[in-house]
Amino acid sequence: MARHEYAPLPLLRTDVGRAKLRGGGKTSRQTKDNLKSPVQHATVIRNAAQGALDAWQERRTARPPLLPTMPEVATFLLRVDPKVEIEFLRSAFGFEIVSEQEDGFVVVATEDLDAKRLEQVLCKLEGGERGGGSAAKVYELEDGGSEGRLRRILSRALFESWATLQDEAEYVLDFGIECWGEVNPPNPIERKDGEPEDKWQARQQRFETKWHQAYERWDGIKLARETELTRIIREYSGRVHSIMDCSGAVGTNIPDSFTVRARLTGQAIRDLVLNYPYLFEVHEPDELESGQLTSSSSNLTPQFRLLPPPASAPIVTVVDSGLQEQHPLLAAAVDRASSRCFLNGLPATDVADHVAPAGHGTRVAGAVLYPSGIPVTGQSQAPCWIRNARVLDANNRLCTHKLPGLLLEEVISHQTSLPVPTRIFVHSINASSPCRRVHMSAWGAAIDRLVFEHDIVFVQSSGNLPQASTIPTRPGVREHLSRGRAYPDYLYENSSRLANPAQSLNALTVGSVAFEAFTDGTWTSLAQKPASPSAFSRTGLGLWDIVKPDVVEFGGDLAVDTGNPPSVATPPSLPHLCPELVRSTMHSFGPTADRDDVGTSFAAPKVARTVAAISEAVPTASGQMLRALTVQSARWPTWADGLPASDQLKLIKSIGYGVPSSERGARGAHHRVTLTSEPDVRIHAREGHVYQVRIPEQLREGELEFDVRIEVTLAYAALPRRTRRSHRKYLSTWVDWQTSRANESVESFVARALHERGDSTGDRGSAIPWFLDMRSDHGTVSGVRRNRGTVQKDWAVLASHALPRDFCVAVVGHEGWNKHPEASVPYAICVTMEALETSIPVYEQVLVGVGELQVELGVEVTV
């Protein structure tokens, strides 16, 4: 079979039904203790509530009467049972949940200034009546003006400078405002056994009417709070720079929050934070990281000629500082008709890369076209089209007046509305500091929403540590080394965490690895093995212990000298520390290409090129399938296989699933086959989809014993909800997967996965030794689990005789924040089987198995 014929095979979906969902919260010990001492606990909470309301009233009375009017709403900081769903605060006490915080803390707002609802529940607790148990789940209650609330809603820097804010000084801040309100959606409905069609349709119609009414109330609350906050800011002579919300179509999205960037005085900020009840986050706009540019290390001016790509070639939009569009190494691939500048105050046609001395967007675009280096001579067609979306100014900075998520909305709206829409975006832009860990940022949430709405692949850099830094809380590589933190240990410090918006769940986040070890006798690279994490590459895990970065590419490394403490640089004597990049010649004389910069900025576009190559080979692939195949193709370096589990956990944090390959992602081989789900498949909450791979007897019971590596990757996209702080409540619907066990029958697995499919009482076989698994203590590596992110990969090696006749995978939808019964999310899943002995005909045999299964199912699928 010819190499180009090893296309992905269809992964056949053989059953759909209601999923068997496992788990469920257990009552915490403290809640049990509170139930045993109801009077004592009720007294504590009652006194705390009265003290908090008294403090709120004192603040209100002390406010000068000429200040802007604030809502007559009090705020509390509660600590509740961390094992229960916090929605009980709404139903039991009438509290509006402003935001979920860490360690069981919740910020709530209430118009019940006499605490009547709370008192009723406390009395029921004291009397042992039904409904009083909710009060036992509330452990502590504090005034909304307490230090505890301020510490949780203010950024660290703002909290530390809170007492020294100057009354008349002006500050630009981003304010996160909750707007969910107290409106509850109607409970989902299901058809009853034997229910007549007319009655079922009538109930559905009533449900839809209630849902639309609830949505209208939600939307009204959002509009009212936007208007109210704008009024307050203007009455303080402040200025609203931009507002971004997350509203969408009815039935798909609910406006849970919006973000406002505004300029205000210190006095106004204090008043707003202490007295506006719906704030859940206040922080400074992100500063962008500085480049790693070094001195030129070559005089390379390639004579290579780039030819235009085919008209149907994939398109990659570079969202960056613009491009030198007439650059000889780029010009033939640039779709100049689509170029646009999105910077305020500049014409849309100002799309050049004005970053001196050698550009940034130009380099990123070059890394898309030349991921493995730039040919010196000859000519060839460009592999893809490049589109230019300029969002950074000449100083490589974002517009301070516009929220970055709002800017991305404009970019993606423009690029996806073109006659041939862009599906692949590369965004090598990061904040200079590590991302916050409580809530998803407005920037990251905007990416998550846009990926869901437009079915795109958003390739995002993970961010860089500076070579050196003067900011104590943001040490650079030199400071880490001088403080005795060796490479790579300092990469796992909190200060080395992913930089906003790399924590975005729906983005394909890319870190950097080094080429190999280099030394000249004086300077020595920090990485000493090929594909080791680059000395500057920011690391995960991401929010909620999700695997981030997803993948890595070669973005260079740093070297140290023999000094004490050592100097950190990319010296000209070690040019191969740096990737070869296209260099802008707009502002300074020099070569058209050079090795003078490093960073995850240049790793991300190389992954975008891989996505483009897979897109070209699998033209029917959805955005989620492209993400799944890219991650599925990623591999760790071979030297990592023998590491202790503790070191492998660190490697997961720094290189994710490894370096992707367009060859592995786009096609199989004689000894390797990849099977993929159908395009545009979606799943609802509480639904299960079962897929089946037939493995012929010749592979399982042949004379030759061999090992098989099985890889499974699921990718999906869901809508965000920023005021919550777990993946289960941040996402509208969350999804995971499980597989049959070694030698388990199809019937046994389906009975385990779906309701009404019998009992799974037969022989389930032995567990597959997954590398990560669904629990953090079940896989080969402890401390991380595969099923929290929106891309989930796992792998295992089985002996051929342990392979089942049918390998099954169940994709399971779980309820997130969206209760609408029609709410669904798009997903893609792929399975790869690879014989570690390359002579084994895995592809051909699984192809036979697909045909057998199609005959059994009576379906026709083109192979």
Side-chain angles (χ1 to χ4, degrees):
M1 182 174 287
R3 184 78 174 175
H4 67 276
E5 294 178 333
Y6 293 109
L9 300 180
L11 181 62
L12 299 180
R13 186 167 59 172
T14 57
D15 208 340
V16 175
R18 184 179 177 186
K20 283 184 178 178
L21 305 178
R22 296 164 180 81
K26 298 180 180 179
T27 303
S28 297
R29 177 176 295 277
Q30 186 168 346
T31 298
K32 294 178 180 178
D33 291 343
N34 292 342
L35 289 169
K36 292 177 182 177
S37 305
V39 176
Q40 179 182 354
H41 180 66
T43 301
V44 169
I45 298 300
R46 182 181 290 115
N47 291 341
Q50 190 58 56
L53 288 171
D54 289 345
W56 177 82
Q57 189 60 55
E58 289 175 8
R59 284 198 307 277
R60 301 288 292 187
T61 303
R63 286 183 81 237
L66 296 180
L67 291 182
T69 302
M70 293 285 184
E72 292 286 324
V73 177
T75 55
F76 298 148
L77 177 68
L78 307 180
R79 187 168 71 88
V80 302
D81 187 336
K83 294 185 178 181
V84 301
E85 295 290 347
I86 62 173
E87 303 305 320
F88 83 92
L89 296 170
R90 188 192 312 274
S91 57
F93 307 106
F95 291 153
E96 179 171 344
I97 300 171
V98 176
S99 66
E100 183 181 11
Q101 302 288 324
E102 294 180 293
D103 305 321
F105 283 93
V106 184
V107 178
V108 300
T110 180
E111 296 180 5
D112 183 8
L113 303 182
D114 295 323
K116 292 180 181 178
R117 288 275 300 269
L118 176 62
E119 179 60 27
Q120 290 172 358
V121 180
L122 291 174
C123 289
K124 290 180 180 179
L125 175 66
E126 291 173 316
E129 299 178 39
R130 181 181 178 87
S134 294
K137 302 172 188 175
V138 179
Y139 298 166
E140 297 176 23
L141 188 153
E142 296 180 15
D143 167 41
S146 68
E147 179 180 303
R149 172 176 170 269
L150 295 182
R151 185 183 295 277
R152 284 168 174 80
I153 72 169
L154 301 178
S155 69
R156 176 179 174 181
L158 190 56
F159 178 78
E160 292 176 349
S161 63
W162 183 248
T164 59
L165 288 179
Q166 301 298 309
D167 284 351
E168 301 305 320
E170 290 189 328
Y171 305 86
V172 175
L173 296 176
D174 292 347
F175 299 88
I177 312 298
E178 176 268 330
C179 60
W180 185 270
E182 295 183 28
V183 181
N184 277 322
N187 291 325
I189 59 173
E190 293 183 1
R191 190 167 186 172
K192 302 174 183 177
D193 292 339
E195 183 176 16
E197 181 66 23
D198 58 340
K199 290 187 177 181
W200 168 236
Q201 289 185 2
R203 284 207 302 128
Q204 286 181 307
Q205 183 59 50
R206 288 194 297 271
F207 173 86
E208 289 298 332
T209 298
K210 291 179 181 179
W211 182 271
H212 280 257
Q213 290 172 347
Y215 184 90
E216 290 173 0
R217 290 197 294 272
W218 276 313
D219 197 53
I221 291 170
K222 175 181 71 70
L223 179 60
R225 290 185 184 171
E226 286 181 354
T227 302
E228 181 178 63
L229 189 66
T230 299
R231 171 189 60 78
I232 293 170
I233 291 170
R234 288 176 177 169
E235 289 181 9
Y236 261 118
S237 300
R239 180 180 178 186
V240 174
H241 289 313
S242 61
I243 299 178
M244 181 179 67
D245 63 53
C246 58
S247 58
V250 176
T252 63
N253 200 4
I254 296 169
D256 123 280
S257 65
F258 61 91
T259 304
V260 176
R261 176 165 292 180
R263 182 181 296 274
L264 281 167
T265 64
Q267 179 192 19
I269 292 168
R270 282 202 191 87
D271 189 32
L272 200 63
V273 169
L274 291 173
N275 295 297
Y276 193 72
Y278 309 117
L279 282 172
F280 72 89
E281 181 182 76
V282 186
H283 60 85
E284 309 84 349
D286 285 306
E287 296 179 7
L288 297 193
E289 62 186 23
S290 300
Q292 307 270 12
L293 191 66
T294 67
S295 59
S296 176
S297 58
S298 74
N299 291 311
L300 178 64
T301 302
Q303 301 302 308
F304 170 76
R305 183 186 177 198
L306 184 70
L307 302 177
S312 61
I315 301 167
V316 177
T317 292
V318 176
V319 186
D320 213 279
S321 62
L323 305 180
Q324 184 184 358
E325 294 189 345
Q326 296 295 338
H327 194 289
L329 294 173
L330 302 182
V334 177
D335 176 18
R336 286 188 285 278
S338 66
S339 301
R340 184 167 175 177
C341 175
F342 294 87
L343 287 166
N344 282 356
L346 293 179
T349 55
D350 190 354
V351 294
D353 186 354
H354 294 282
V355 175
H360 188 266
T362 300
R363 293 170 179 271
V364 172
V368 174
L369 297 175
Y370 308 102
S372 302
I374 302 167
V376 177
T377 59
Q379 65 180 31
S380 68
Q381 275 190 309
C384 60
W385 291 101
I386 299 292
R387 283 179 174 167
N388 179 10
R390 184 185 175 206
V391 298
L392 300 178
D393 63 18
N395 296 313
N396 226 25
R397 296 287 182 264
L398 289 166
C399 173
T400 58
H401 290 175
K402 186 175 289 188
L403 288 156
L406 203 58
L407 195 62
L408 286 179
E409 282 186 5
E410 295 177 9
V411 171
I412 291 174
S413 177
H414 171 257
Q415 292 286 319
T416 56
S417 65
L418 294 170
V420 181
T422 298
R423 300 184 64 208
I424 305 167
F425 294 80
V426 59
H427 186 257
S428 291
I429 303 172
N430 295 91
S432 60
S433 56
C435 67
R436 294 175 293 277
R437 301 197 66 172
V438 178
H439 299 112
M440 180 63 71
S441 68
W443 197 356
I447 294 171
D448 288 340
R449 177 170 57 84
L450 292 166
V451 168
F452 177 89
E453 291 176 347
H454 296 280
D455 188 34
I456 58 175
V457 181
F458 197 91
V459 185
Q460 171 67 52
S461 54
S462 67
N464 305 310
L465 294 175
Q467 293 182 20
S469 171
T470 58
I471 302 174
T473 57
R474 302 180 199 169
V477 176
R478 184 182 65 185
E479 287 69 41
H480 280 298
L481 296 174
S482 66
R483 295 171 191 175
R485 301 184 190 119
Y487 167 88
D489 293 343
Y490 65 79
L491 292 177
Y492 309 110
E493 298 285 324
N494 277 334
S495 60
S496 302
R497 193 168 58 249
L498 299 164
N500 194 24
Q503 74 277 23
S504 161
L505 266 60
N506 291 348
L508 184 60
T509 302
V510 182
S512 175
V513 288
F515 295 99
E516 56 182 274
F518 297 102
T519 185
D520 65 0
T522 301
W523 292 93
T524 302
S525 59
L526 283 163
Q528 289 295 298
K529 296 177 182 177
S532 295
S534 299
F536 52 78
S537 186
R538 289 186 173 274
T539 63
L541 300 169
L543 286 182
W544 314 311
D545 291 335
I546 288 167
V547 174
K548 287 283 180 177
D550 300 300
V551 294
V552 288
E553 254 290 0
F554 296 95
D557 195 22
L558 300 174
V560 292
D561 65 8
T562 55
N564 188 17
S567 298
V568 178
T570 53
S573 59
L574 297 178
H576 287 86
L577 279 176
C578 306
E580 192 172 56
L581 300 169
V582 172
R583 181 183 182 278
S584 172
T585 57
M586 286 180 60
H587 305 290
S588 63
F589 177 78
T592 57
D594 210 341
R595 294 182 180 273
D596 62 349
D597 208 352
V598 296
T600 60
S601 287
F602 315 119
K606 294 182 179 185
V607 171
R609 164 67 182 278
T610 298
V611 177
I614 295 173
S615 174
E616 185 173 36
V618 191
T620 60
S622 64
Q624 291 310 307
M625 181 56 73
L626 293 176
R627 187 162 69 128
L629 286 171
T630 302
V631 172
Q632 181 83 327
S633 75
R635 289 285 177 86
W636 277 13
T638 55
W639 54 261
D641 293 339
L643 291 176
S646 58
D647 288 341
Q648 289 182 327
L649 174 60
K650 289 181 178 180
L651 210 57
I652 276 277
K653 294 178 179 181
S654 56
I655 72 169
Y657 299 112
V659 180
S661 160
S662 58
E663 177 68 18
R664 283 196 301 269
R667 56 186 57 84
H670 179 69
H671 65 293
R672 182 182 71 245
V673 63
T674 295
L675 304 98
T676 62
S677 56
E678 63 270 34
D680 303 320
V681 62
R682 302 179 73 92
I683 194 167
H684 299 81
R686 300 180 296 279
E687 187 177 23
H689 295 177
V690 174
Y691 292 88
Q692 194 170 333
V693 181
R694 173 65 49 82
I695 304 176
E697 182 178 349
Q698 182 175 338
L699 283 181
R700 296 180 287 112
E701 301 179 7
E703 295 182 0
L704 182 63
E705 285 283 334
F706 57 93
D707 287 336
V708 177
R709 178 184 170 106
I710 300 177
E711 297 174 304
V712 180
T713 299
L714 166 75
Y716 71 98
L719 282 163
R721 184 181 179 192
R722 287 194 64 222
T723 59
R724 299 301 188 262
R725 66 158 315 273
S726 72
H727 74 290
R728 298 185 178 200
K729 292 305 176 183
Y730 172 73
L731 298 169
S732 53
T733 301
W734 62 280
V735 185
D736 63 6
W737 58 270
Q738 57 181 298
T739 69
S740 54
R741 298 158 69 92
N743 294 319
E744 182 178 19
S745 69
V746 174
E747 293 75 18
S748 172
F749 174 70
V750 173
R752 284 200 294 119
L754 301 179
H755 280 284
E756 302 176 352
R757 297 296 190 274
D759 297 323
S760 55
T761 55
D763 183 11
R764 297 185 182 180
S766 56
I768 292 177
W770 294 110
F771 189 72
L772 300 179
D773 220 316
M774 296 178 68
R775 285 180 42 170
S776 59
D777 58 347
H778 276 195
T780 302
V781 171
S782 297
V784 64
R785 53 199 294 184
R786 69 169 182 243
N787 60 340
R788 288 193 169 182
T790 61
V791 62
Q792 303 169 11
K793 178 178 179 177
D794 213 341
W795 60 95
V797 176
L798 291 179
S800 57
H801 64 80
L803 292 171
R805 176 175 179 268
D806 293 275
F807 176 77
C808 297
V809 183
V811 178
V812 179
H814 301 263
E815 190 175 88
W817 58 258
N818 196 339
K819 310 299 183 186
H820 195 287
E822 296 304 315
S824 64
V825 297
Y827 77 87
I829 189 164
C830 50
V831 175
T832 296
M833 294 186 176
E834 179 177 355
L836 302 189
E837 167 55 60
T838 58
S839 65
I840 305 298
V842 170
Y843 189 98
E844 290 82 354
Q845 287 298 312
V846 173
L847 176 59
V848 170
V850 170
E852 291 178 358
L853 196 55
Q854 286 175 291
V855 171
E856 285 185 19
L857 297 173
V859 298
E860 293 185 9
V861 180
T862 302
V863 176

